[in-house]
Amino acid sequence: MASSRLEKIGTIFSRTTGLIRCNAMKMEDRPLWYDVYAAFPPPLEPRFDRPAPNISVKQIFYEEDVVRAKYHKLMRNVTVNLSDNQNQTQTQLFIEAYNQIKSQGALDDDKIVEVAQDIVRDKLKERYESRRESVGLVKSFEVATEEKKETEQPKVKVDFKNIFE
């Protein structure tokens, strides 16, 4: 299929407005952004042929980025569980421990990294063992429910072939 050049004819707002005017799109079916765009239009129309502004991009640099880089240099296979929003990530634990140790005393940077890494390792080990205990509770619950099923009366098996004879 040949590529379309419709994106060069007007903006997405003007095309959507045209669809609504000619009843190709119902006003109830308009996109969510349509009313916001109509209420607050941009100062310059977003067109494909408008040259990009020559603005320098500011470098955003935080102190913890250096600490994060040191940790990820040491621990290359750090994984993140995105579904776990109750616990801090390994990197967050490391940054917290690093900042805490740095504020306490006059250790050199390499020694702080080693101590913080040990603290993170201990916290992760505690977290792992507490999960193993909770999994043990789940297993014991499963065993109890299986025992309960065994003590229940057996279900009567009905042979449908014999019913109609």
Side-chain angles (χ1 to χ4, degrees), residues 2-4 18 20 26 28 47-49 68 80 84 91 94 101 109 132 137 150 162:
S3 65
S4 173
I20 292 171
K26 294 180 183 176
E28 299 86 42
R47 292 187 43 87
F48 82 98
D49 56 350
R68 186 177 287 114
V80 178
D84 184 13
T91 309
F94 181 79
I101 294 166
D109 202 40
R132 279 186 52 200
L137 292 174
E150 290 174 2
N162 296 335

Side-chain angles (χ1 to χ4, degrees), residues 44-107:
L44 296 173
E45 188 177 22
R47 292 187 43 87
F48 82 98
D49 56 350
R50 189 180 71 208
N54 190 10
I55 299 173
S56 62
V57 178
K58 294 180 184 177
Q59 293 295 324
I60 300 173
F61 193 67
Y62 298 102
E63 288 181 29
E64 67 184 30
D65 290 340
V66 176
V67 179
R68 186 177 287 114
K70 288 178 184 177
Y71 182 67
H72 285 282
K73 189 174 183 180
L74 290 173
M75 306 294 290
R76 294 192 186 269
N77 58 353
V78 174
T79 58
V80 178
N81 184 0
L82 296 175
S83 64
D84 184 13
N85 55 5
Q86 306 231 344
N87 296 314
Q88 292 179 322
T89 63
Q90 295 177 21
T91 309
Q92 289 171 335
L93 290 172
F94 181 79
I95 291 171
E96 185 178 287
Y98 181 90
N99 290 335
Q100 194 173 40
I101 294 166
K102 190 172 184 176
S103 67
Q104 286 178 358
L107 292 173

Side-chain angles (χ1 to χ4, degrees), residues 86-148:
Q86 306 231 344
N87 296 314
Q88 292 179 322
T89 63
Q90 295 177 21
T91 309
Q92 289 171 335
L93 290 172
F94 181 79
I95 291 171
E96 185 178 287
Y98 181 90
N99 290 335
Q100 194 173 40
I101 294 166
K102 190 172 184 176
S103 67
Q104 286 178 358
L107 292 173
D108 65 329
D109 202 40
D110 294 333
K111 188 67 176 172
I112 294 174
V113 169
E114 289 176 15
V115 174
Q117 188 177 8
D118 292 339
I119 291 172
V120 170
R121 192 174 294 127
D122 292 341
K123 285 184 180 180
L124 292 175
K125 192 179 289 185
E126 288 173 11
R127 189 185 295 173
Y128 174 73
E129 289 178 6
S130 68
R131 284 185 183 162
R132 279 186 52 200
E133 290 173 6
S134 66
V135 169
L137 292 174
V138 170
K139 292 278 187 194
S140 63
F141 177 74
E142 290 173 358
V143 169
T145 54
E146 287 177 11
E147 289 174 359
K148 184 178 177 183

